[in-house]
Amino acid sequence: MKISLAADSALLKPDFTFGVATASFQIEGAANSRLPCIWDTFCAEPGRIKDGSDGLVACDHVNRWREDVELIASLGVDAYRFSIAWGRVINRDGSINQAGLDFYRQLLEALQAHNIKAFVTLYHWDLPQYLQDNGGWLNRATAFKFADYADKVSRALGDKVYSYATLNEPFCSAYLSYEAGIHAPGVQNRKQGRQVAHHLLLAHGLAMTVLRRNAPRALNGIVLNFSPCHPASTSDADIRAARMADQYHNQWYIQPLFEGRYPELLSELPSNEQPEIAAGDMAIIAQPLDFLGVNYYTRTVYRDNGKGWFSDVPPTTPPLTDMGWEIYPAGLTEILLDINKRYPLPPVYITENGAAMPDTVQQGMVQDSERVAYFQQHLQAVEHAISAGVRIDGYFAWSLMDNFEWAEGYAKRFGIVYVDYTTQQRVLKASAIALRDCFASRTAADNKSANK
Ligand code: IFM
């Protein structure tokens, strides 16, 4: 099982960055050495997490980070993307938790020793619970608390970090958490969802100013997730529904960054569902970005719901991943070309792409051939976008290892490395080996051209 790229592929150029990604709550464990966060609370509520699990131990990464760094290095990657748990580094009174900060500092130094660039995300959904108790992202003050956290971390870690992303997927922290109600804190309220989205974007804008000041040499930006919105039929109603869904789920988060305004759909929402936007907020949000992170997994099909709104049509026809998501690599090219046409993009990194599969270990091996095929097809989709003129500087596989998949618990495995949660043993899957060989083929190609 191999992943092969054309000999002249842009992805094989020496300055293209290949990496693997994780997030704090999903892998760290060691919950007693940080403040509780909204996901601890959510996990403790019966019925919220499908397998009843939590993040207390997860992949025990806080205790096993040294071997995990060796694992990452063994893959031959250029970069590792991870997130900092806010409640591990900042105390309730706003002061720095030195032990927590030292954990990340050591991790960064170990990565540096292996010449691996650190792509750090400041917020991957684990809001400290004491801030939630004070209103969480519904409270405008949380945006300013976030900027303060970004300030303290970037002053302390500065240029040890190659790239800072303010937020990961604000769509999830706003829509899934406050409208669909399937992520912490599990609310279902459109007005609140839109308000949270606005405060998250405000937090991003405030933090960007701080990051540019404290870490001027780092690549500073944000990570958004996209899913192309396709109509279920050729009817005008379904086409309109898909366009609305695109504005609501995709453009809502990117348009403010580049144009300082929300999509037109905002004015179609009843006034009691519109977010409160203070004077000057949109200018704060529209900060220049050094990079845009794009996360892509699948497309979504929409139909008109008969009430002037849209509803999604879950896919039923294979190929589907273990999440029930359609495998649709063309959607990655489509979304990249689309946002490149609409906005003056900075360099783009694909900061997440991958698939959950029902992996099992057999005779010490995990033959995840469907995941290998997924990566092959999506890397080609990235190549197509580059050939069509989009500047894409890197690609991160989600995820380094199996981990806590939010409301799905540990049942869904996204890793290229298998985790046995009883023993915490890590086993390279065939996809890890295929990616490793693909990365190594670059070095081989470089050596050949250097020897010519
Ligand atoms: O596991 C998540 C990750 O935390 C954010 N992006 C999507 C992944 C798969 O659902």
Side-chain angles (χ1 to χ4, degrees):
M1 272 178 281
K2 284 179 77 166
I3 293 174
S4 38
L5 300 171
D8 59 351
S9 166
L11 306 194
L12 294 177
K13 302 251 157 68
D15 49 1
F16 190 86
T17 297
F18 272 114
V20 286
T22 63
S24 46
F25 191 84
Q26 295 181 274
I27 65 162
E28 283 184 357
N32 55 4
S33 53
R34 59 160 170 79
L35 295 177
C37 74
I38 53 173
W39 273 92
D40 295 311
T41 309
F42 196 62
C43 291
E45 291 171 14
R48 293 298 202 179
I49 310 299
K50 288 207 179 125
D51 60 4
S53 63
D54 54 44
L56 300 182
V57 176
C59 305
D60 196 28
H61 172 70
V62 164
N63 295 312
R64 293 167 195 266
W65 65 271
R66 285 188 183 79
E67 52 181 277
D68 287 340
V69 169
E70 295 305 317
L71 182 68
I72 295 165
S74 78
L75 297 172
V77 294
D78 310 300
Y80 174 48
R81 173 174 180 248
F82 63 96
S83 74
I84 291 183
W86 187 341
R88 194 177 285 291
V89 294
I90 303 291
N91 297 318
R92 205 177 249 270
D93 63 2
S95 62
I96 287 182
N97 174 340
Q98 201 52 50
L101 194 68
D102 286 348
F103 163 68
Y104 294 109
R105 194 196 308 275
Q106 282 183 303
L107 177 62
L108 287 167
E109 284 166 1
L111 291 170
Q112 215 167 24
H114 283 287
N115 223 1
I116 296 171
K117 298 172 194 156
F119 279 65
V120 167
T121 304
L122 291 170
Y123 185 69
H124 199 124
W125 314 350
D126 37 5
L127 186 73
Q129 183 60 41
Y130 73 92
L131 290 173
Q132 183 66 29
D133 297 340
N134 219 10
W137 288 111
L138 275 173
N139 182 349
R140 187 177 168 82
T142 301
F144 293 85
K145 295 266 183 202
F146 178 74
D148 187 51
Y149 153 57
D151 182 40
K152 295 212 163 84
V153 168
S154 55
R155 270 177 207 270
L157 302 178
D159 288 342
K160 283 196 180 16
V161 172
Y162 182 85
S163 159
Y164 286 99
T166 53
L167 309 176
N168 180 69
E169 302 180 349
F171 158 87
C172 297
S173 316
Y175 180 77
L176 296 184
S177 298
Y178 278 86
E179 294 189 49
I182 57 173
H183 277 194
V187 176
Q188 286 180 302
N189 179 306
R190 179 174 299 156
K191 159 89 180 175
Q192 293 194 4
R194 295 298 104 178
Q195 193 63 58
V196 163
H198 182 66
H199 287 157
L200 282 158
L201 289 172
L202 180 65
H204 155 77
L206 294 167
M208 278 302 293
T209 321
V210 162
L211 292 173
R212 266 206 310 275
R213 185 186 65 219
N214 295 350
R217 287 204 298 267
L219 279 184
N220 299 314
I222 185 170
V223 172
L224 302 180
N225 58 310
F226 294 92
S227 182
C229 300
H230 290 169
S233 76
T234 52
S235 76
D236 287 349
D238 285 350
I239 291 171
R240 182 169 171 276
R243 282 208 192 111
M244 286 169 76
D246 178 53
Q247 289 192 32
Y248 202 70
H249 292 323
N250 293 320
Q251 310 309 325
W252 203 277
Y253 302 92
I254 187 170
Q255 192 167 341
L257 302 177
F258 293 102
E259 295 181 359
R261 63 189 171 98
Y262 285 106
E264 276 157 25
L265 188 60
L266 170 67
S267 57
E268 289 174 37
L269 296 180
S271 56
N272 64 356
E273 291 183 347
Q274 295 188 8
E276 274 138 49
I277 302 172
D281 281 3
M282 299 313 290
I284 294 173
I285 292 171
Q287 295 296 314
L289 300 172
D290 301 328
F291 83 100
L292 175 71
V294 168
N295 292 356
Y296 175 79
Y297 290 90
T298 188
R299 70 163 175 167
T300 315
V301 174
Y302 291 94
R303 63 172 178 72
D304 173 65
N305 76 348
K307 295 181 207 148
W309 200 245
F310 52 86
S311 54
D312 61 311
V313 183
T316 48
T317 335
L320 306 179
T321 70
D322 207 25
M323 296 290 281
W325 298 346
E326 181 183 0
I327 299 179
Y328 191 79
L332 177 52
T333 314
E334 179 185 327
I335 207 77
L336 289 164
L337 296 189
D338 181 62
I339 58 174
N340 192 49
K341 199 161 86 190
R342 289 177 196 243
Y343 307 108
L345 297 183
V348 169
Y349 286 76
I350 309 303
T351 31
E352 283 182 29
N353 177 234
M357 294 293 172
D359 305 314
T360 52
V361 185
Q362 271 158 15
Q363 284 143 7
M365 321 254 278
V366 183
Q367 296 296 358
D368 57 339
S369 49
E370 287 171 296
R371 186 177 287 106
V372 176
Y374 183 100
F375 284 128
Q376 169 79 58
Q377 291 162 357
H378 286 78
L379 286 169
Q380 272 163 357
V382 175
E383 263 182 347
H384 293 155
I386 295 176
S387 318
V390 188
R391 176 161 170 197
I392 304 169
D393 285 3
Y395 174 95
F396 290 77
W398 183 269
S399 176
L400 164 67
M401 58 185 153
D402 297 334
N403 57 51
F404 177 76
E405 180 50 28
W406 308 111
E408 302 290 331
Y410 294 95
K412 303 294 180 210
R413 294 179 176 271
F414 272 93
I416 58 170
V417 173
Y418 185 92
V419 177
D420 177 330
Y421 294 109
T422 318
T423 60
Q424 288 294 348
Q425 199 198 347
R426 279 78 160 129
V427 179
L428 294 194
K429 299 181 191 177
S431 56
I433 295 165
L435 282 170
R436 184 190 69 193
D437 293 348
C438 170
F439 304 153
S441 69
R442 268 173 332 159
T443 332
D446 276 0
N447 289 343
K448 248 193 219 159
S449 58
N451 291 338
K452 265 189 191 158

